[in-house]
């Protein structure tokens, strides 16, 4: 059996990043930036007031001042300030020439044109002023290549003058559940049946990634059905994900069906728990990833393989999940012959593996916010030992 790291490397090598595409800002959300993003404008484009109050020269403190005009956001005051003069100013407005501080209005009294300070200490030069170019200047790289376009990134891209962005491609993905026992979630379900939770789970996992996901339904454990469906999907999408039918039972037909329709399988079985029966290969131009059927196995393998594959194809520079460290809140037993990914909770800086690790259980998936990574053959570790984990949320 190959290691998780080797399997990840082999999977990513099966596909190249898709060609980049230009999109409107809002269509670029959750995509990866294709090249560093340069500012096309200076921000702020002038010295701006950070508060509502009066623009003054600090050397005139403690006043009084004569208010000679007004500067509002979008309506700059065009004159300049002489000794003893102030300009009424609002948040976001241009600071007039010769002013070097904004007195907030709460620290003043006003009588007609006359302005007085109600504080004793002179404000510092530059106080309540956002300096020209202090956020970024024209040509500054405001986002690096491969940046994930989350809310903050969209904000800075818009401020930097961009209405369209060049981002990595959007892989098309088909999710096919397999198993005679499965019924669609919410349908009547006999004791011999089980709701298909894997397909909704996988779709939920992909909502924050740049991909077009299609639910290819539930495929019966029938070689002909699997062959026809997988063959058709391979011509329509970039990634086919199956769940179930990956192991060694008589009804585990996914691999056989794939080979029969000409797939080149790259690996089957990875030294990990849960998720051992994972398989990957290619049919034509499509990558096929066969996840095990058990819900936690499907979750962990999707987290460690499917998500990185999508990120890689969509232009992310670092597609694999990041590793963090925390002290374990409980003793940990020795590792077995497979790497383990224990569903765990990180709280108050400590990590606690959930007591139930059965890969058929879905409740633990809803409770876990981390996967505690335990290398194979590791010796027992007492409470307090630093361990590695991956964040799930
Ligand atoms: N003799 C052996 N038996 C098994 C081995 C092994 O090495 N030797 N491996 C075990 C491991 S590990 C896993 S994981 C499972 C995976 O098996 P399959 O991928 O073939 O999955 P199924 O048998 O089809 O289903 C397993 C389990 O999951 C339920 N399931 C399947 N699909 C869904 C779905 N879409 N939503 C919810 N639940 C699903 C299914 O009903 C079964 O209960 O094999 C072990 N066996
Ligand atoms: O590896 Mo299986 O995924 O342990 O249940």
């Amino acid at each position: 059996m190959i290691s998780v790291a080797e399997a990840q490397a082999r999977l990513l090598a099966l596909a190249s990043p898709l060609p980049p595409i230009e999109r409107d800002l809002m269509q670029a959300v959750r995509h990866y930036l294709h090249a560093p993003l340069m500012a096309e404008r200076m921000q702020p484009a002038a010295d701006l007031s950070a508060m509502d109050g009066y623009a003054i020269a600090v050397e005139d403190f403690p006043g009084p001042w004569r208010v000679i005009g007004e500067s509002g956001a979008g309506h700059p005051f065009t004159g300049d300030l002489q000794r003893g003069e102030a300009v009424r100013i609002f948040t976001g407005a241009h600071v007039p020439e010769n002013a070097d501080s904004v007195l907030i209005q709460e620290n003043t009294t006003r009588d007609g044109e006359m302005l007085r300070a109600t504080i004793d200490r002179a404000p510092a030069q530059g106080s309540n002023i956002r300096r020209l170019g202090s956020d970024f200047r024209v040509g500054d790289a405001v986002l690096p290549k491969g940046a994930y376009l989350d809310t903050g990134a969209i904000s800075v891209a818009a401020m930097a003058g961009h209405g369209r962005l060049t981002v990595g491609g959007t892989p098309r993905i088909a999710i096919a559940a397999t198993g005679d026992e499965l019924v669609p979630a919410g349908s009547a379900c006999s004791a011999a049946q089980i709701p298909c939770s894997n397909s909704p789970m996988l779709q939920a996992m992909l909502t924050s990634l740049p991909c077009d996901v299609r639910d290819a339904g539930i495929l019966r454990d029938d070689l002909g059905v699997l062959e026809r469906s997988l063959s058709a999907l391979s011509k329509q999408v970039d990634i086919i994900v199956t769940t179930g039918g990956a192991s060694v039972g008589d009804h585990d037909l996914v691999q056989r069906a794939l080979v029969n329709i000409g797939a080149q399988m790259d690996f089957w079985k990875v030294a990990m728990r849960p998720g051992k029966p994972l398989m990957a290969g290619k049919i034509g131009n499509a990558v096929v990833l066969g996840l095990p059927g058990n819900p936690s196995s499907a979750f962990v393998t999707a987290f460690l393989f499917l998500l990185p594959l999508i990120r890689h194809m969509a232009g992310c520079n670092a597609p694999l999940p990041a590793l963090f460290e925390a002290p374990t809140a409980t003793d940990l037993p020795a590792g077995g012959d497979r790497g383990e990914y224990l569903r765990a909770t990180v709280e108050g800086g400590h990590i606690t593996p959930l007591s139930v690790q059965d890969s058929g259980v879905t409740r633990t998936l809803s409770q876990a916010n981390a996967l505690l990574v335990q290398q194979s053959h590791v010796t027992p570790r007492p409470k307090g030992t630093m361990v590695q984990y991956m964040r799930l949320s």
Side-chain angles (χ1 to χ4, degrees), residues 181-182 194-198 243-248 252 276-277 292-294 297:
E181 75 281 27
L182 302 176
I194 177 174
C196 172
S197 62
N198 284 343
T243 66
S247 188
V248 294
D252 295 334
K276 179 176 77 170
N294 279 316
S297 314

Side-chain angles (χ1 to χ4, degrees), residues 46-51 53-58 66-73 75-82 85-90 92-103 127-131:
D47 289 350
L48 299 183
S49 179
M51 301 295 261
Y54 294 89
I56 59 157
V58 168
R66 194 167 67 84
V67 180
I68 57 158
E70 184 173 301
S71 186
H75 305 282
F77 176 78
T78 45
D80 55 1
L81 230 50
Q82 305 300 319
E85 292 178 345
V87 163
R88 177 74 170 125
I89 196 165
F90 299 101
H94 281 204
V95 176
E97 284 292 311
N98 302 336
D100 59 7
S101 173
V102 171
L103 265 183
S127 58
N128 300 321
I129 294 176
R130 297 186 178 127
R131 286 291 176 205

Side-chain angles (χ1 to χ4, degrees), residues 201 272 274-277 291-302 343 359-360:
M201 172 190 75
M272 62 188 291
K276 179 176 77 170
L291 310 183
N294 279 316
S296 290
S297 314
F299 176 84
V300 169
T301 49
R343 275 72 74 210
S359 60

